[in-house]
Amino acid sequence: MQLKIWHKMIIGISIPALIALFGSLWTYEYINDVKDRHGYVQIADDLRENVLEVRRNEKNYLHYKDTDYFNYLIASINALNRSIKIIPPATIDEIGKNDFLLLNETATNYTALTERLHDNFRQEINSIEQVREQGKKLENYATTGKLSAGLSLNFILNLRRLEKNYMLFRDRDSFSKLDRALFQLKDLIPSCYECIPYVEAVRSLFASYEKSDSVIRELQIAGDNLEETTVRIAQRERQHIAWFFTKTQRFMFMALILLCAIGPLLVYKTASYIVAPIIRLTEITKKIAEGDSSLRAPLKEHDETYTLAVSFNTMLDNLQLTHHSLEKSLELLHEQHMEAEKRASLGFLVSGVAHELNNPLNNISLTAETMKEDLNELSTEELKEHIQDIVTQSERAKHIIEELLDFVGTRKSAVMEKLDIINALAESINLVANQLKVSHIQLKKDIHKIPVFIKGNQNKLEEIFVNIMVNAIHAMKESGELTIYAKPDVNEKFIIIEISDTGCGIPEKELKNIFEPFYTTKQHGAGTGLGLAVARSLVEKHFGDISVRSEVGKGTTFTIRFPLYEEENQGPVAVGRG
Amino acid sequence: MGDKLHVMIIDDEPIVGKRLKRLLEKEDFVVETFTRGSLAIEELSNKHFDIIITDLMMGIVDGIQILEFAKTSYPDVRVIIITGFGKKETSEEAFRKGAFDFIIKPFRVEELREVVHRAAKELKAG
């Protein structure tokens, strides 16, 4: 995905924000709808009120049946119609077209029925007038005796009473009583001409009443329909509102859950999506910091961390280059340093040799010059002494050269063979025994009783031991104690030889130099300055090591270790340069 | 005897003392030789010397110490340093501390003689 961090952040923040925004818009729309619906309910309620007004007027009209109430009824129906007409068609579509069609139809029908009823009522009045007129005539006939035989006044009067009752009650009971009485009249006098108009008038009233009743029934049904329709509309609108509320509530709840569930998840995902490359980079840098400089930051991402990773890698490359060149410089410096050290030690060696050789040379030349100058003045004894001095000093110079050659190892290599080091040590002690006696030095020995074999050269080993023992004797001057220890170590890998004296000791600052060639604390002439250097060189040729510890005023101990002879290294072996 | 110059020779090589003593005594100097610096210093604290010829590198007490001691005790003393090997720094140090001259071994008798005479001439003039 080629998204920058800020793109990822915008996406991460936008999605929950969009959910919230859509939720809000939806809710806003819902509330608008509810507002509309509330208006519709109002309209439905108004219509219902109109209808109720119509019904009230209808009832009054049916009761009083006069023109005034008829006019009220018509007015209220017109008011209803007007109310329906002012409703915009869009609203009608929303509320329910069918209901309004029905409402309109029913209202029109209702108006027609009302008018028909009004006509009927007028007819009814005429019929009633007719019945009353004929009834009076019939009554007159009865009282004047002009009536047919068999028709009593009482019967007529009873008939008029029934007629009055019927007009008053207009019910089935009074109707059937009147009807029966009329049939009796017909039975009594089939040819009562005077009765016919009355009977016909009553019959006409019957018909008129019946017609009115049927119209009234129809009118009432239409009224009920009107009422039902308006009630239904109002109810439906209320239901709509209730449904909207439930729906909104549910939607809000869903949105809340969605936000709660998806929001943190989305934020977490976005955060980890942003942080992941940074973490990867951090881990790599940590590994690099721990020393794995060959690692490079991965170039997976295409956001800002890509640039960072590229810069980081470039920086690492540069660092590595610098590191390499530094290492090279350091190597060069080291080489130069080694070279300088070599030169310095060579210089030290050369100046040491010069110093050591210059002394006997000076003695020789001085003596020779003296002899030359004073040849005639010198006695034979003096001449002999001078010549002896020259010989001795020549020997001294020769000895220095020999030791020097020993040290640098250019003399014939010594044959290395299996030998008993204990024996070599004992021979060395014999060589210095006389010196010990002269210097009044006591010898203490702690030496292994049975032979210990190493690979070495008897003469060289003796040279090592004698060198060290002579050093010790010189350190003690006139008296003291020389201790020689020689035993294998615990693991039987080495023989350890310790040569200790109770002499003047060596100061710590000089201790590190005592194995250097021409380093001497002795008076000039007392040593060549090569003894310990030669000893160390020889010890190393025997694959051993030599160390020293000393305390000023108490004494010095030299410790030498040689590896013990191993069976696979059989036979004499020559080491060193030819 | 009173105007004879006193010469002290210190060198751990006994031959140097022996030969130079004979050489300088012939030239009318009074000569004493030492092979140890410590003994020489002991002698210096008791007795005045006009010229000191000393080896530079000796055991415990070296030529520089003798030079310092002599120059503090007798500012007029002429100290001639002889040494087995000449290092620039050592000769510079010796001159700074008041050495009269610096002779490197092996030296010719003539060389030494010339330096000693020069010192004697200076002393007699001063």
Side-chain angles (χ1 to χ4, degrees):
Chain A
M1 271 244 261
Q2 309 213 346
L3 284 175
K4 303 235 175 259
I5 287 176
W6 67 278
H7 286 148
K8 294 175 191 170
M9 280 175 78
I10 285 172
I11 290 169
I13 293 163
S14 299
I15 291 175
L18 277 177
I19 291 176
L21 185 71
F22 280 129
S24 306
L25 278 177
W26 202 314
T27 313
Y28 177 77
E29 274 303 302
Y30 261 39
I31 287 167
N32 252 359
D33 230 345
V34 168
K35 220 168 107 192
D36 287 349
R37 288 291 161 191
H38 187 70
Y40 300 159
V41 169
Q42 198 66 48
I43 288 166
D45 280 346
D46 285 350
L47 286 179
R48 199 167 151 256
E49 246 168 55
N50 276 331
V51 170
L52 287 177
E53 179 72 10
V54 168
R55 294 310 300 271
R56 196 171 56 80
N57 283 327
E58 174 201 305
K59 223 184 254 170
N60 287 343
Y61 174 60
L62 287 182
H63 187 71
Y64 297 107
K65 293 174 184 166
D66 65 356
T67 311
D68 284 347
Y69 284 102
F70 169 72
N71 287 336
Y72 291 150
L73 181 57
I74 291 298
S76 64
I77 290 170
N78 286 341
L80 172 67
N81 281 331
R82 268 198 307 278
S83 291
I84 292 168
K85 259 178 207 132
I86 58 164
I87 299 169
T91 311
I92 288 170
D93 286 347
E94 276 295 317
I95 295 173
K97 224 174 177 175
N98 289 338
D99 280 332
F100 273 88
L101 273 177
L102 190 68
L103 205 62
N104 265 328
E105 214 172 85
T106 318
T108 315
N109 188 29
Y110 191 88
T111 315
L113 284 169
T114 311
E115 273 160 4
R116 243 169 77 194
L117 194 63
H118 194 57
D119 287 344
N120 268 5
F121 281 161
R122 266 188 304 219
Q123 264 181 17
E124 254 177 46
I125 291 162
N126 281 339
S127 297
I128 288 165
E129 285 299 314
Q130 218 46 64
V131 168
R132 281 190 183 142
E133 201 182 322
Q134 296 305 323
K136 256 182 201 150
K137 273 184 190 168
L138 202 61
E139 223 180 289
N140 281 342
Y141 283 139
T143 47
T144 54
K146 286 176 186 168
L147 270 176
S148 310
L151 205 66
S152 66
L153 181 66
N154 279 346
F155 183 82
I156 296 296
L157 287 176
N158 189 43
L159 198 67
R160 292 300 310 268
R161 194 180 53 85
L162 287 173
E163 170 211 309
K164 250 178 224 162
N165 281 349
Y166 176 56
M167 278 183 200
L168 189 68
F169 300 112
R170 285 184 67 161
D171 60 353
R172 191 143 289 278
D173 189 43
S174 52
F175 168 76
S176 54
K177 276 178 184 163
L178 183 60
D179 198 40
R180 216 180 301 132
L182 284 179
F183 273 109
Q184 272 179 352
L185 183 70
K186 223 177 169 179
D187 286 341
L188 284 171
I189 32 166
S191 54
C192 175
Y193 299 106
E194 299 87 2
C195 301
I196 290 168
Y198 178 73
V199 172
E200 271 175 4
V202 171
R203 292 268 174 229
S204 165
L205 186 64
F206 278 169
S208 174
Y209 272 176
E210 243 171 58
K211 202 175 173 187
S212 285
D213 283 348
S214 98
V215 174
I216 285 168
R217 269 198 304 281
E218 271 185 61
L219 187 74
Q220 279 173 336
I221 287 167
D224 285 348
N225 278 345
L226 278 179
E227 219 177 310
E228 267 171 31
T229 309
T230 51
V231 166
R232 194 166 60 234
I233 290 170
Q235 238 169 22
R236 202 173 47 226
E237 285 313 312
R238 284 206 168 78
Q239 261 174 7
H240 261 305
I241 289 176
W243 181 70
F244 273 132
F245 276 130
T246 317
K247 214 171 152 188
T248 309
Q249 201 180 26
R250 215 172 286 163
F251 174 77
M252 299 266 277
F253 182 68
M254 292 277 284
L256 200 70
I257 285 181
L258 207 69
L259 265 181
C260 285
I262 292 178
L265 194 78
L266 221 65
V267 170
Y268 172 77
K269 275 274 153 197
T270 311
S272 53
Y273 195 54
I274 292 168
V275 167
I278 298 172
I279 288 176
R280 269 199 290 276
L281 209 58
T282 313
E283 271 167 8
I284 288 286
T285 53
K286 214 189 276 174
K287 273 184 194 158
I288 291 165
E290 277 163 8
D292 196 347
S293 56
S294 64
L295 283 175
R296 286 294 177 273
L299 301 176
K300 275 191 203 160
E301 314 298 329
H302 292 274
D303 56 17
E304 287 86 339
T305 58
Y306 178 85
T307 328
L308 187 63
V310 168
S311 311
F312 182 71
N313 287 348
T314 314
M315 188 187 79
L316 272 181
D317 290 343
N318 289 340
L319 261 178
Q320 220 165 22
L321 275 177
T322 315
H323 189 240
H324 278 316
S325 64
L326 266 176
E327 261 182 355
K328 266 188 189 160
S329 309
L330 209 66
E331 243 170 61
L332 207 70
L333 265 176
H334 186 64
E335 272 170 23
Q336 283 172 352
H337 179 71
M338 292 287 280
E339 195 58 39
E341 256 193 359
K342 241 190 244 169
R343 229 177 288 149
S345 67
L346 192 69
F348 187 72
L349 189 73
V350 168
S351 59
V353 171
H355 184 251
E356 279 307 312
L357 281 176
N358 277 341
N359 276 320
L361 271 179
N362 189 57
N363 289 339
I364 292 165
S365 74
L366 204 59
T367 310
E369 271 198 282
T370 313
M371 280 171 76
K372 190 182 159 198
E373 273 191 16
D374 302 340
L375 194 61
N376 297 327
E377 294 161 29
L378 290 168
S379 64
T380 318
E381 273 310 301
E382 279 174 323
L383 272 174
K384 268 188 186 167
E385 190 204 325
H386 276 62
I387 291 163
Q388 185 53 49
D389 278 348
I390 290 171
V391 172
T392 314
Q393 292 304 313
S394 304
E395 281 293 324
R396 187 177 155 200
K398 184 184 154 206
H399 182 65
I400 290 165
I401 301 290
E402 273 174 0
E403 283 210 325
L404 189 68
L405 290 176
D406 257 344
F407 171 68
V408 294
T410 47
R411 282 219 289 183
K412 246 208 286 181
S413 68
V415 174
M416 306 285 271
E417 59 201 344
K418 181 181 177 180
L419 58 84
D420 175 17
I421 182 101
I422 301 296
N423 175 257
L425 192 59
E427 289 294 328
S428 308
I429 293 168
N430 283 341
L431 284 173
V432 296
N434 205 35
Q435 255 185 293
L436 289 170
K437 218 180 198 175
V438 170
S439 305
H440 309 286
I441 289 165
Q442 284 193 312
L443 180 68
K444 262 175 78 179
K445 291 194 282 185
D446 182 8
I447 296 173
H448 210 49
K449 295 282 183 286
I450 51 170
V452 176
F453 292 99
I454 70 160
K455 196 170 77 186
N457 179 283
Q458 181 86 15
N459 288 336
K460 295 296 158 199
L461 287 170
E462 282 173 14
E463 197 176 340
I464 295 167
F465 299 138
V466 169
N467 263 340
I468 293 168
M469 285 190 278
V470 166
N471 247 307
I473 292 164
H474 285 162
M476 290 184 281
K477 294 188 183 91
E478 292 301 292
S479 66
E481 199 174 83
L482 182 71
T483 312
I484 315 256
Y485 167 96
K487 268 172 188 175
D489 74 330
V490 196
N491 300 322
E492 304 225 317
K493 291 239 162 149
F494 294 96
I495 170 87
I496 294 170
I497 298 148
E498 281 185 355
I499 300 169
S500 312
D501 64 55
T502 55
C504 52
I506 306 162
E508 207 183 323
K509 64 179 166 73
E510 289 177 6
L511 211 55
K512 62 176 191 292
N513 292 321
I514 69 162
F515 292 111
E516 296 301 322
F518 303 110
Y519 189 88
T520 179
T521 54
K522 284 188 250 168
Q523 267 205 318
H524 274 214
T528 58
L530 276 168
L532 288 176
V534 170
R536 182 175 69 171
S537 164
L538 290 175
V539 167
E540 280 166 4
K541 280 188 182 122
H542 283 80
F543 308 104
D545 54 52
I546 181 166
S547 60
V548 62
R549 56 177 196 275
S550 184
E551 210 175 317
V552 175
K554 287 199 171 173
T556 306
T557 300
F558 284 90
T559 307
I560 308 164
R561 292 196 314 167
F562 291 114
L564 296 185
Y565 185 82
E566 281 176 31
E567 282 310 314
E568 56 261 32
N569 298 332
Q570 277 175 356
V573 188
V575 295
R577 288 188 283 169
Chain B
M1 279 292 276
D3 57 350
K4 278 186 178 177
L5 290 175
H6 283 73
V7 178
M8 176 186 257
I9 298 170
I10 316 138
D11 197 316
D12 55 1
E13 299 282 336
I15 291 173
V16 174
K18 265 197 272 179
R19 301 291 174 265
L20 290 187
K21 185 177 160 76
R22 181 190 168 83
L23 203 94
L24 292 175
E25 273 172 353
K26 279 205 302 179
E27 313 263 333
D28 235 12
F29 291 101
V30 180
V31 182
E32 278 183 50
T33 62
F34 298 87
T35 53
R36 283 194 179 199
S38 50
L39 295 177
I41 281 180
E42 214 179 292
E43 187 67 11
L44 266 175
S45 29
N46 301 327
K47 209 168 152 190
H48 174 259
F49 286 89
D50 300 297
I51 296 168
I52 298 170
I53 300 167
T54 176
D55 187 19
L56 191 65
M57 287 177 74
M58 293 179 293
I60 298 150
V61 178
D62 66 11
I64 293 290
Q65 279 168 286
I66 289 167
L67 167 67
E68 281 173 346
F69 184 81
K71 272 289 174 187
T72 341
S73 310
Y74 316 102
D76 274 350
V77 73
R78 299 293 188 269
V79 181
I80 298 158
I81 307 275
I82 49 175
T83 183
F85 72 97
K87 254 170 95 184
K88 208 180 156 211
E89 294 86 33
T90 331
S91 64
E92 275 172 1
E93 192 194 355
F95 281 122
R96 204 170 52 244
K97 287 181 171 163
F100 180 73
D101 213 334
F102 202 87
I103 300 171
I104 293 163
K105 285 183 186 173
F107 52 84
R108 300 293 305 273
V109 169
E110 260 326 296
E111 203 181 331
L112 183 98
R113 198 180 274 145
E114 185 271 320
V115 176
V116 174
H117 281 175
R118 189 149 43 84
K121 214 170 141 189
E122 259 193 41
L123 280 167
K124 278 179 180 164

